[in-house]
Coordinates of all heavy atoms in Angstrom, one line a residue:
M1 N 0.9 -1.3 0.0 CA 0.0 -0.1 0.0 C 0.9 1.2 -0.1 O 1.8 1.4 0.8 CB -1.0 0.0 1.2 CG -1.8 1.1 1.4 SD -3.0 1.0 2.6 CE -2.3 0.6 4.1
S2 N 0.6 2.3 -0.9 CA 1.4 3.4 -1.0 C 1.0 4.3 0.2 O 0.1 4.2 0.8 CB 1.2 4.1 -2.3 OG -0.1 4.8 -2.3
K3 N 2.0 5.3 0.4 CA 1.7 6.3 1.4 C 0.4 7.0 1.3 O -0.4 7.3 2.2 CB 2.8 7.3 1.5 CG 4.1 6.7 2.4 CD 5.1 7.8 2.5 CE 6.2 7.2 3.4 NZ 7.0 8.2 3.8
N4 N 0.1 7.3 0.0 CA -1.2 8.1 -0.4 C -2.3 7.2 -0.1 O -3.4 7.8 0.5 CB -1.2 8.4 -1.9 CG -0.2 9.5 -2.1 OD1 0.1 10.3 -1.3 ND2 0.1 9.7 -3.4
H5 N -2.3 5.9 -0.2 CA -3.4 5.0 0.1 C -3.7 5.0 1.6 O -4.8 5.1 2.1 CB -3.3 3.7 -0.5 CG -3.7 3.6 -2.0 ND1 -2.9 3.2 -2.8 CD2 -5.0 3.9 -2.6 CE1 -3.5 3.2 -4.0 NE2 -4.6 3.7 -3.8
G6 N -2.5 5.0 2.4 CA -2.5 4.9 3.9 C -3.2 6.2 4.3 O -4.1 6.2 5.3
K7 N -2.9 7.4 3.7 CA -3.5 8.6 4.1 C -5.0 8.7 3.7 O -5.8 9.1 4.6 CB -2.7 9.8 3.5 CG -3.5 11.1 3.8 CD -2.7 12.4 3.4 CE -3.2 13.7 3.7 NZ -4.5 13.7 4.4
L8 N -5.3 8.2 2.5 CA -6.7 8.0 2.2 C -7.6 7.4 3.1 O -8.6 7.8 3.5 CB -6.8 7.4 0.8 CG -8.2 7.1 0.3 CD1 -9.1 8.2 0.2 CD2 -8.1 6.2 -0.9
Y9 N -7.1 6.2 3.6 CA -7.9 5.3 4.5 C -8.0 6.1 5.8 O -9.0 5.9 6.5 CB -7.3 3.9 4.5 CG -7.4 3.2 3.2 CD1 -6.4 2.7 2.7 CD2 -8.6 3.1 2.5 CE1 -6.4 2.0 1.3 CE2 -8.7 2.6 1.3 CZ -7.6 2.1 0.7 OH -7.6 1.4 -0.5
Y10 N -6.9 6.6 6.2 CA -6.9 7.4 7.5 C -8.0 8.5 7.3 O -8.8 8.7 8.3 CB -5.6 8.1 7.8 CG -5.5 8.7 9.1 CD1 -5.5 7.9 10.3 CD2 -5.6 10.1 9.3 CE1 -5.4 8.4 11.6 CE2 -5.5 10.7 10.5 CZ -5.5 9.9 11.6 OH -5.5 10.5 12.8
D11 N -8.0 9.3 6.3 CA -9.0 10.3 5.9 C -10.4 9.8 6.1 O -11.2 10.5 6.7 CB -8.8 11.0 4.6 CG -7.6 11.8 4.6 OD1 -7.0 12.2 5.7 OD2 -7.1 12.2 3.5
L12 N -10.6 8.6 5.5 CA -12.0 8.0 5.5 C -12.4 7.7 7.0 O -13.6 8.0 7.3 CB -11.9 6.8 4.7 CG -11.9 6.8 3.2 CD1 -11.5 5.6 2.6 CD2 -13.1 7.4 2.6
L13 N -11.5 7.2 7.7 CA -11.9 6.9 9.1 C -11.9 8.3 9.9 O -12.8 8.3 10.9 CB -10.6 6.2 9.9 CG -10.5 4.7 9.3 CD1 -9.2 4.2 9.8 CD2 -11.7 3.8 9.8
E14 N -11.2 9.2 9.7 CA -11.4 10.5 10.3 C -12.7 11.2 10.0 O -13.1 12.0 10.9 CB -10.2 11.4 9.9 CG -8.9 11.2 10.7 CD -8.9 11.4 12.1 OE1 -9.3 12.5 12.6 OE2 -8.8 10.4 12.9
D15 N -13.2 10.9 8.9 CA -14.4 11.5 8.4 C -15.7 10.8 9.1 O -16.8 11.2 8.7 CB -14.5 11.4 6.9 CG -14.6 12.8 6.2 OD1 -14.7 13.8 7.0 OD2 -14.5 12.9 5.0
N16 N -15.4 9.8 10.0 CA -16.4 9.1 10.6 C -17.3 8.4 9.7 O -18.5 8.3 9.9 CB -17.3 10.0 11.6 CG -16.4 10.5 12.7 OD1 -15.7 9.8 13.3 ND2 -16.6 11.8 13.1
L17 N -16.8 7.9 8.6 CA -17.6 7.1 7.5 C -17.8 5.7 8.1 O -16.8 5.2 8.8 CB -16.9 7.0 6.2 CG -16.8 8.4 5.5 CD1 -16.0 8.2 4.1 CD2 -18.2 9.0 5.3
S18 N -18.9 5.1 7.9 CA -19.2 3.7 8.4 C -18.3 2.7 7.6 O -17.6 3.1 6.6 CB -20.6 3.3 7.9 OG -20.8 3.2 6.7
K19 N -18.0 1.6 8.2 CA -17.2 0.6 7.4 C -17.8 0.2 6.2 O -17.1 0.0 5.2 CB -17.1 -0.7 8.4 CG -16.3 -0.4 9.7 CD -16.3 -1.7 10.6 CE -15.6 -1.4 11.9 NZ -15.9 -2.2 13.0
S20 N -19.1 0.3 6.0 CA -19.8 -0.2 4.8 C -19.4 0.8 3.7 O -19.1 0.5 2.6 CB -21.2 -0.3 4.9 OG -21.6 -1.1 5.9
T21 N -19.3 2.2 4.1 CA -19.1 3.2 3.1 C -17.5 3.0 2.7 O -17.2 3.2 1.6 CB -19.3 4.6 3.8 OG1 -20.7 4.7 4.3 CG2 -19.1 5.7 2.9
I22 N -16.8 2.8 3.7 CA -15.3 2.7 3.3 C -15.0 1.4 2.5 O -14.4 1.5 1.4 CB -14.4 2.5 4.7 CG1 -14.5 3.7 5.5 CG2 -13.0 2.1 4.3 CD1 -13.9 3.8 6.8
V23 N -15.7 0.3 2.7 CA -15.6 -1.0 1.8 C -16.2 -0.5 0.6 O -15.6 -0.9 -0.6 CB -16.3 -2.1 2.5 CG1 -16.5 -3.2 1.4 CG2 -15.5 -2.6 3.7
F24 N -17.3 0.1 0.4 CA -17.9 0.5 -1.0 C -17.0 1.5 -1.6 O -16.8 1.3 -2.8 CB -19.3 1.2 -0.7 CG -20.0 1.6 -1.9 CD1 -20.2 0.7 -2.9 CD2 -20.3 2.9 -2.2 CE1 -20.8 1.0 -4.1 CE2 -20.9 3.2 -3.2 CZ -21.2 2.3 -4.3
F25 N -16.4 2.4 -1.0 CA -15.5 3.4 -1.7 C -14.2 2.6 -2.2 O -13.9 2.9 -3.3 CB -15.0 4.5 -0.7 CG -14.1 5.5 -1.3 CD1 -14.5 6.4 -2.1 CD2 -12.7 5.3 -1.0 CE1 -13.7 7.3 -2.7 CE2 -11.9 6.2 -1.7 CZ -12.3 7.3 -2.5
T26 N -13.7 1.8 -1.5 CA -12.6 0.9 -1.9 C -13.0 0.0 -3.2 O -12.2 0.0 -4.1 CB -12.2 -0.1 -0.8 OG1 -11.9 0.7 0.4 CG2 -10.9 -0.8 -1.2
L27 N -14.2 -0.4 -3.2 CA -14.7 -1.2 -4.4 C -14.9 -0.2 -5.6 O -14.4 -0.6 -6.7 CB -16.1 -1.8 -4.1 CG -16.8 -2.7 -5.2 CD1 -15.8 -3.8 -5.7 CD2 -18.0 -3.2 -4.6
L28 N -15.4 1.0 -5.5 CA -15.4 1.9 -6.5 C -14.0 2.3 -7.0 O -13.8 2.4 -8.1 CB -16.1 3.2 -6.0 CG -17.6 3.0 -5.7 CD1 -18.2 4.4 -5.1 CD2 -18.4 2.7 -6.9
L29 N -13.1 2.5 -6.1 CA -11.7 2.8 -6.5 C -11.1 1.8 -7.3 O -10.5 2.0 -8.4 CB -10.9 3.1 -5.1 CG -9.6 3.7 -5.2 CD1 -9.7 5.1 -5.8 CD2 -9.0 3.8 -3.8
S30 N -11.3 0.5 -6.9 CA -10.8 -0.7 -7.7 C -11.5 -0.7 -9.0 O -10.8 -0.9 -10.0 CB -11.0 -1.9 -6.9 OG -10.8 -3.0 -7.7
N31 N -12.8 -0.4 -9.0 CA -13.5 -0.7 -10.2 C -13.2 0.5 -11.3 O -13.4 0.4 -12.4 CB -15.0 -0.6 -10.1 CG -15.5 -2.1 -9.6 OD1 -14.7 -3.0 -9.6 ND2 -16.8 -2.1 -9.2
S32 N -12.7 1.7 -10.7 CA -12.5 2.8 -11.6 C -11.1 2.7 -12.1 O -10.7 3.5 -13.0 CB -12.7 4.1 -10.8 OG -11.7 4.3 -9.9
N33 N -10.1 1.8 -11.7 CA -8.8 1.8 -12.3 C -8.7 1.6 -13.7 O -7.8 2.1 -14.5 CB -8.1 0.6 -11.6 CG -7.7 1.0 -10.2 OD1 -7.6 2.2 -9.9 ND2 -7.3 0.0 -9.3
Q34 N -9.6 0.8 -14.3 CA -9.5 0.5 -15.8 C -10.0 1.5 -16.7 O -9.3 1.9 -17.6 CB -10.2 -0.8 -16.2 CG -10.0 -1.3 -17.6 CD -10.7 -2.7 -17.7 OE1 -11.9 -2.9 -17.2 NE2 -10.1 -3.5 -18.5
K35 N -11.1 2.1 -16.3 CA -11.6 3.1 -17.3 C -11.5 4.7 -16.8 O -11.9 5.5 -17.5 CB -13.1 2.9 -17.7 CG -13.2 1.6 -18.5 CD -14.7 1.5 -19.0 CE -14.9 0.2 -19.9 NZ -16.1 0.3 -20.6
G36 N -11.2 4.7 -15.5 CA -11.1 6.1 -14.9 C -12.4 6.4 -14.2 O -12.4 7.4 -13.6
Y37 N -13.4 5.4 -14.2 CA -14.6 5.7 -13.5 C -15.2 4.3 -13.2 O -14.9 3.4 -13.9 CB -15.6 6.6 -14.3 CG -16.0 6.0 -15.6 CD1 -17.0 5.2 -15.8 CD2 -15.2 6.4 -16.8 CE1 -17.4 4.7 -17.0 CE2 -15.6 6.0 -18.0 CZ -16.6 5.1 -18.2 OH -16.9 4.5 -19.4
A38 N -16.1 4.3 -12.3 CA -16.8 3.1 -11.9 C -18.1 3.2 -12.7 O -18.8 4.2 -12.7 CB -17.0 2.8 -10.4
F39 N -18.7 2.0 -13.1 CA -19.9 2.1 -13.9 C -20.9 1.1 -13.5 O -22.0 0.9 -14.2 CB -19.5 1.9 -15.3 CG -18.8 0.8 -15.7 CD1 -19.5 -0.4 -16.0 CD2 -17.4 0.9 -15.7 CE1 -18.7 -1.5 -16.4 CE2 -16.7 -0.2 -16.2 CZ -17.3 -1.4 -16.4
G40 N -20.7 0.3 -12.4 CA -21.6 -0.7 -12.1 C -23.0 -0.3 -11.5 O -23.1 0.9 -11.1
S41 N -24.0 -0.9 -11.8 CA -25.4 -0.8 -11.3 C -25.5 -0.8 -9.7 O -24.6 -1.4 -9.1 CB -26.4 -1.5 -11.9 OG -26.2 -2.9 -11.5
N42 N -26.5 -0.2 -9.1 CA -26.6 -0.4 -7.8 C -26.8 -1.8 -7.5 O -26.4 -2.4 -6.4 CB -27.9 0.3 -7.3 CG -27.6 1.9 -7.0 OD1 -26.5 2.3 -7.6 ND2 -28.4 2.5 -6.4
K43 N -27.6 -2.6 -8.3 CA -27.8 -4.0 -8.1 C -26.4 -4.7 -8.1 O -26.2 -5.8 -7.3 CB -28.6 -4.6 -9.2 CG -29.0 -6.0 -9.1 CD -30.0 -6.6 -10.3 CE -30.2 -8.1 -10.0 NZ -30.7 -8.6 -11.1
Y44 N -25.5 -4.4 -9.0 CA -24.3 -5.1 -9.2 C -23.5 -4.8 -7.8 O -23.0 -5.9 -7.3 CB -23.3 -4.5 -10.2 CG -22.0 -4.8 -10.1 CD1 -21.5 -6.0 -10.6 CD2 -21.1 -3.9 -9.6 CE1 -20.2 -6.4 -10.6 CE2 -19.7 -4.3 -9.6 CZ -19.3 -5.5 -10.0 OH -17.9 -5.8 -10.1
Y45 N -23.5 -3.6 -7.3 CA -22.7 -3.4 -6.1 C -23.4 -4.0 -4.8 O -22.8 -4.6 -3.9 CB -22.6 -1.8 -5.8 CG -21.7 -1.3 -6.8 CD1 -22.0 -0.3 -7.7 CD2 -20.3 -1.6 -6.9 CE1 -21.2 0.3 -8.6 CE2 -19.4 -1.2 -7.8 CZ -19.8 -0.2 -8.6 OH -18.9 0.3 -9.6
A46 N -24.8 -4.0 -4.9 CA -25.5 -4.6 -3.8 C -25.2 -6.1 -3.7 O -25.0 -6.7 -2.6 CB -27.1 -4.4 -3.9
E47 N -25.1 -6.9 -4.9 CA -24.7 -8.3 -4.9 C -23.3 -8.5 -4.4 O -23.1 -9.4 -3.5 CB -24.9 -8.7 -6.3 CG -26.4 -9.0 -6.7 CD -26.5 -9.3 -8.0 OE1 -25.6 -9.4 -8.9 OE2 -27.7 -9.4 -8.6
K48 N -22.4 -7.6 -4.8 CA -21.0 -7.7 -4.3 C -20.9 -7.5 -2.8 O -20.2 -8.1 -2.1 CB -20.1 -6.7 -5.0 CG -19.7 -6.9 -6.4 CD -18.7 -8.0 -6.4 CE -18.2 -8.1 -7.9 NZ -17.4 -9.3 -8.1
L49 N -21.7 -6.6 -2.3 CA -21.5 -6.3 -0.9 C -22.5 -7.0 0.0 O -22.7 -6.7 1.2 CB -21.6 -4.7 -0.6 CG -20.5 -3.9 -1.3 CD1 -20.6 -2.5 -1.0 CD2 -19.0 -4.4 -0.7
K50 N -23.5 -7.8 -0.6 CA -24.5 -8.5 0.0 C -25.4 -7.6 0.9 O -25.4 -7.7 2.1 CB -23.9 -9.6 0.9 CG -23.2 -10.7 0.0 CD -22.6 -11.7 0.8 CE -21.8 -12.8 0.1 NZ -21.4 -12.5 -1.3
C51 N -25.9 -6.6 0.2 CA -26.8 -5.6 0.9 C -28.0 -5.1 -0.2 O -27.9 -5.8 -1.2 CB -26.0 -4.4 1.4 SG -25.2 -3.4 0.0
S52 N -28.6 -4.3 0.2 CA -29.8 -3.8 -0.6 C -29.4 -2.8 -1.6 O -28.4 -2.2 -1.4 CB -31.0 -3.3 0.2 OG -30.7 -2.2 0.8
T53 N -30.1 -2.5 -2.7 CA -29.8 -1.3 -3.5 C -30.2 0.0 -2.9 O -29.5 0.9 -3.2 CB -30.7 -1.5 -4.9 OG1 -32.1 -1.6 -4.6 CG2 -30.3 -2.8 -5.7
R54 N -31.0 -0.2 -1.9 CA -31.3 1.1 -1.2 C -30.0 1.5 -0.4 O -29.8 2.7 -0.2 CB -32.4 0.8 -0.2 CG -32.8 2.1 0.6 CD -34.0 1.9 1.4 NE -35.1 2.4 0.7 CZ -36.4 2.3 1.0 NH1 -36.7 1.7 2.0 NH2 -37.3 3.0 0.3
T55 N -29.4 0.4 0.3 CA -28.1 0.8 1.0 C -27.1 1.4 0.1 O -26.4 2.3 0.4 CB -27.6 -0.5 1.6 OG1 -28.6 -1.0 2.6 CG2 -26.3 -0.3 2.3
I56 N -27.0 0.9 -1.2 CA -26.0 1.4 -2.1 C -26.4 2.8 -2.5 O -25.5 3.7 -2.5 CB -25.9 0.5 -3.4 CG1 -25.5 -1.0 -3.1 CG2 -25.0 1.1 -4.5 CD1 -24.1 -1.1 -2.5
S57 N -27.6 3.1 -2.7 CA -28.0 4.5 -2.9 C -27.5 5.5 -1.8 O -27.1 6.5 -2.0 CB -29.5 4.6 -3.1 OG -29.9 4.0 -4.3
S58 N -27.8 4.9 -0.5 CA -27.4 5.7 0.6 C -25.9 6.0 0.7 O -25.4 7.0 1.0 CB -28.0 4.9 1.9 OG -27.4 5.7 3.1
L59 N -25.1 4.8 0.3 CA -23.6 5.0 0.3 C -23.2 5.9 -0.7 O -22.2 6.7 -0.4 CB -23.0 3.6 0.2 CG -23.3 2.6 1.3 CD1 -22.8 1.1 0.9 CD2 -22.8 2.9 2.6
I60 N -23.7 6.0 -1.9 CA -23.4 6.9 -2.8 C -23.6 8.3 -2.4 O -22.8 9.1 -2.6 CB -24.1 6.4 -4.3 CG1 -23.6 5.3 -4.8 CG2 -24.0 7.7 -5.2 CD1 -24.3 4.6 -6.0
R61 N -24.8 8.5 -1.9 CA -25.2 9.8 -1.4 C -24.2 10.2 -0.3 O -23.8 11.4 -0.4 CB -26.7 9.7 -0.7 CG -27.2 11.1 -0.6 CD -28.8 11.1 -0.3 NE -29.4 9.9 0.3 CZ -29.9 8.8 -0.3 NH1 -30.1 8.8 -1.5 NH2 -30.3 7.8 0.4
T62 N -23.9 9.4 0.6 CA -23.0 9.9 1.6 C -21.6 10.2 0.9 O -21.0 11.3 1.3 CB -22.6 8.7 2.6 OG1 -23.9 8.4 3.3 CG2 -21.5 9.0 3.6
L63 N -21.0 9.5 0.0 CA -19.8 9.8 -0.6 C -19.8 11.0 -1.5 O -18.8 11.8 -1.5 CB -19.3 8.5 -1.4 CG -18.9 7.3 -0.6 CD1 -18.6 6.1 -1.5 CD2 -17.6 7.6 0.2
V64 N -20.9 11.2 -2.2 CA -21.0 12.4 -2.8 C -21.2 13.7 -1.9 O -20.4 14.6 -2.2 CB -22.4 12.5 -3.7 CG1 -22.8 13.9 -4.2 CG2 -22.2 11.4 -4.9
D65 N -21.9 13.6 -0.8 CA -22.0 14.7 0.1 C -20.7 15.0 0.8 O -20.4 16.1 1.1 CB -23.1 14.4 1.2 CG -24.5 14.3 0.7 OD1 -24.7 14.8 -0.4 OD2 -25.5 13.8 1.4
K66 N -19.9 14.0 1.0 CA -18.6 14.2 1.7 C -17.6 14.6 0.7 O -16.4 14.9 1.1 CB -18.1 12.9 2.5 CG -19.0 12.5 3.6 CD -18.6 13.4 4.8 CE -19.3 12.8 6.0 NZ -18.8 13.5 7.2
G67 N -17.7 14.5 -0.7 CA -16.9 14.9 -1.7 C -15.9 14.0 -2.1 O -14.9 14.3 -2.7
Y68 N -16.3 12.7 -1.9 CA -15.2 11.7 -2.3 C -15.5 11.3 -3.8 O -14.5 10.8 -4.4 CB -15.3 10.5 -1.4 CG -14.7 10.6 -0.1 CD1 -15.5 11.1 1.0 CD2 -13.3 10.4 0.1 CE1 -14.9 11.2 2.3 CE2 -12.8 10.7 1.4 CZ -13.6 11.0 2.4 OH -12.9 11.3 3.6
I69 N -16.6 11.4 -4.2 CA -17.0 11.0 -5.6 C -17.9 12.1 -6.3 O -18.5 12.8 -5.5 CB -17.8 9.6 -5.7 CG1 -19.1 9.6 -4.9 CG2 -16.8 8.5 -5.1 CD1 -19.9 8.3 -5.1
N70 N -18.0 11.9 -7.6 CA -18.8 12.7 -8.4 C -19.5 11.6 -9.3 O -18.9 10.7 -9.8 CB -18.1 13.7 -9.3 CG -17.5 14.9 -8.6 OD1 -18.0 15.3 -7.6 ND2 -16.3 15.2 -8.9
V71 N -20.9 11.8 -9.5 CA -21.5 11.0 -10.3 C -22.2 11.8 -11.6 O -22.9 12.7 -11.4 CB -22.9 10.3 -9.5 CG1 -23.6 9.4 -10.4 CG2 -22.4 9.7 -8.4
E72 N -21.9 11.2 -12.7 CA -22.3 11.7 -14.0 C -23.5 10.9 -14.5 O -23.4 9.7 -14.4 CB -21.2 11.7 -14.9 CG -21.5 12.5 -16.2 CD -20.2 12.4 -17.1 OE1 -19.2 13.1 -16.7 OE2 -20.2 11.5 -18.1
H73 N -24.5 11.4 -14.8 CA -25.8 10.7 -15.4 C -26.3 9.8 -14.3 O -26.4 8.6 -14.4 CB -25.4 9.9 -16.6 CG -24.8 10.6 -17.7 ND1 -25.4 11.7 -18.4 CD2 -23.6 10.3 -18.2 CE1 -24.6 12.0 -19.3 NE2 -23.4 11.3 -19.3
P74 N -26.6 10.4 -13.0 CA -26.9 9.5 -11.9 C -28.2 8.7 -12.1 O -28.3 7.7 -11.5 CB -27.3 10.5 -10.8 CG -27.4 11.9 -11.4 CD -26.7 11.8 -12.7
K75 N -29.1 9.1 -13.0 CA -30.4 8.3 -13.2 C -30.4 7.4 -14.4 O -31.5 7.0 -14.9 CB -31.6 9.2 -13.2 CG -31.7 10.1 -12.0 CD -32.3 9.5 -10.8 CE -32.7 10.4 -9.7 NZ -32.6 9.7 -8.5
S76 N -29.2 7.4 -15.0 CA -29.1 6.7 -16.3 C -28.3 5.3 -16.1 O -27.5 5.1 -15.3 CB -28.4 7.5 -17.4 OG -28.0 6.9 -18.4
F77 N -28.6 4.4 -17.1 CA -27.8 3.2 -17.2 C -26.3 3.4 -17.7 O -25.6 2.7 -17.5 CB -28.5 2.1 -18.1 CG -28.3 2.5 -19.5 CD1 -27.4 2.1 -20.3 CD2 -29.4 3.2 -20.1 CE1 -27.3 2.3 -21.6 CE2 -29.4 3.7 -21.4 CZ -28.3 3.1 -22.3
R78 N -26.1 4.6 -18.0 CA -24.8 5.1 -18.4 C -24.1 5.9 -17.4 O -23.1 6.6 -17.6 CB -24.8 6.0 -19.7 CG -25.4 5.4 -20.9 CD -25.5 6.3 -22.1 NE -26.1 7.5 -21.8 CZ -26.1 8.5 -22.6 NH1 -25.4 8.5 -23.7 NH2 -26.6 9.6 -22.1
R79 N -24.6 5.6 -16.0 CA -24.0 6.4 -15.0 C -22.6 6.2 -15.0 O -22.0 5.1 -15.1 CB -24.6 5.9 -13.8 CG -24.0 6.5 -12.4 CD -24.7 6.0 -11.3 NE -24.4 4.5 -10.9 CZ -24.8 3.9 -10.0 NH1 -25.8 4.4 -9.2 NH2 -24.6 2.5 -9.8
K80 N -21.8 7.1 -14.5 CA -20.3 7.1 -14.4 C -20.0 7.7 -12.9 O -20.5 8.7 -12.6 CB -19.6 7.8 -15.4 CG -19.7 7.2 -16.8 CD -18.9 8.0 -17.8 CE -19.1 7.6 -19.2 NZ -18.5 8.3 -20.2
I81 N -19.3 7.0 -12.2 CA -18.9 7.3 -10.8 C -17.4 7.7 -10.9 O -16.6 6.8 -11.1 CB -19.3 6.3 -9.7 CG1 -20.8 5.9 -9.8 CG2 -18.9 6.7 -8.3 CD1 -21.2 4.9 -8.8
Y82 N -17.1 8.9 -10.6 CA -15.6 9.3 -10.6 C -15.2 9.5 -9.2 O -15.9 10.2 -8.4 CB -15.4 10.6 -11.5 CG -15.7 10.5 -12.9 CD1 -17.0 10.8 -13.4 CD2 -14.7 10.1 -13.8 CE1 -17.2 10.7 -14.8 CE2 -14.9 10.0 -15.1 CZ -16.2 10.3 -15.6 OH -16.4 10.2 -16.9
I83 N -14.0 9.0 -8.9 CA -13.3 9.3 -7.7 C -12.7 10.6 -7.9 O -12.0 10.9 -8.8 CB -12.3 8.3 -7.3 CG1 -12.8 6.8 -7.5 CG2 -11.6 8.5 -6.1 CD1 -13.8 6.5 -6.5
R84 N -12.9 11.5 -6.8 CA -12.3 12.9 -6.9 C -10.8 12.7 -7.0 O -10.1 11.9 -6.4 CB -12.5 13.6 -5.6 CG -14.0 13.8 -5.4 CD -14.7 15.0 -6.3 NE -13.9 16.2 -6.0 CZ -14.2 17.2 -5.1 NH1 -15.2 17.0 -4.3 NH2 -13.5 18.3 -5.0
N85 N -10.2 13.5 -7.8 CA -8.7 13.3 -8.2 C -7.9 13.4 -6.9 O -6.7 12.6 -6.9 CB -8.3 14.6 -9.1 CG -8.8 14.4 -10.5 OD1 -9.1 13.4 -10.9 ND2 -8.8 15.5 -11.2
K86 N -8.1 14.1 -5.9 CA -7.2 14.1 -4.8 C -7.1 12.8 -4.0 O -6.2 12.6 -3.3 CB -7.6 15.3 -3.8 CG -8.9 15.0 -2.9 CD -9.1 16.1 -2.0 CE -10.2 15.9 -1.0 NZ -10.3 17.0 -0.1
Y87 N -8.0 11.9 -4.3 CA -8.0 10.5 -3.8 C -7.4 9.5 -4.7 O -7.2 8.3 -4.4 CB -9.4 10.1 -3.3 CG -10.0 11.0 -2.4 CD1 -11.0 11.8 -2.7 CD2 -9.4 11.2 -1.0 CE1 -11.5 12.7 -1.9 CE2 -10.0 12.1 -0.2 CZ -11.0 12.7 -0.6 OH -11.5 13.7 0.3
L88 N -6.9 9.8 -5.9 CA -6.3 9.0 -6.8 C -4.8 9.0 -6.7 O -4.2 10.2 -6.4 CB -6.7 9.3 -8.3 CG -8.2 9.1 -8.5 CD1 -8.5 9.4 -9.9 CD2 -8.7 7.6 -8.3
T89 N -4.1 7.9 -6.9 CA -2.6 7.9 -7.0 C -2.1 7.3 -8.2 O -2.8 6.4 -8.8 CB -2.1 7.3 -5.7 OG1 -2.6 6.0 -5.6 CG2 -2.2 8.2 -4.5

């Protein structure tokens, strides 16, 4: 793990984010490596994390509100979830 990733995870903990939010953010970060954005549906992420699509919606809202991600076309099947640049290395 790079120093930047260590700082990132510390920042996530300092922001009082739930463990579910941190795990979800890590999944988004991993999924965005190939194309520069994550594009899975709420159903896809819910299946991965073994939770409801409503929970995924809530996690996305939390990460947007805290400034960790931006969502382009949020109501579309072409949705793109971008990790904010300051969290990428």
Side-chain angles (χ1 to χ4, degrees):
M1 176 168 57
S2 74
K3 282 189 175 190
N4 287 343
H5 281 122
K7 180 174 179 355
L8 166 63
Y9 297 124
Y10 186 78
D11 289 348
L12 291 166
L13 290 170
E14 284 292 303
D15 245 349
N16 293 320
L17 297 177
S18 70
K19 289 176 187 163
S20 298
T21 306
I22 294 170
V23 169
F24 178 60
F25 181 78
T26 304
L27 181 59
L28 291 176
L29 194 58
S30 174
N31 285 351
S32 68
N33 282 340
Q34 190 176 33
K35 293 189 175 195
Y37 58 88
F39 55 88
S41 67
N42 285 11
K43 182 179 179 193
Y44 166 80
Y45 290 119
E47 288 171 359
K48 285 283 189 197
L49 298 177
K50 298 180 179 19
C51 65
S52 70
T53 56
R54 177 177 266 175
T55 296
I56 298 300
S57 294
S58 176
L59 296 174
I60 289 171
R61 193 168 29 260
T62 297
L63 289 170
V64 167
D65 290 348
K66 293 280 191 172
Y68 287 94
I69 62 172
N70 293 320
V71 181
E72 190 177 282
H73 310 296
K75 303 280 186 206
S76 168
F77 69 93
R78 297 180 312 170
R79 173 179 75 181
K80 296 178 181 177
I81 301 173
Y82 292 95
I83 307 297
R84 299 282 305 269
N85 283 343
K86 71 180 191 173
Y87 301 110
L88 298 176
T89 51

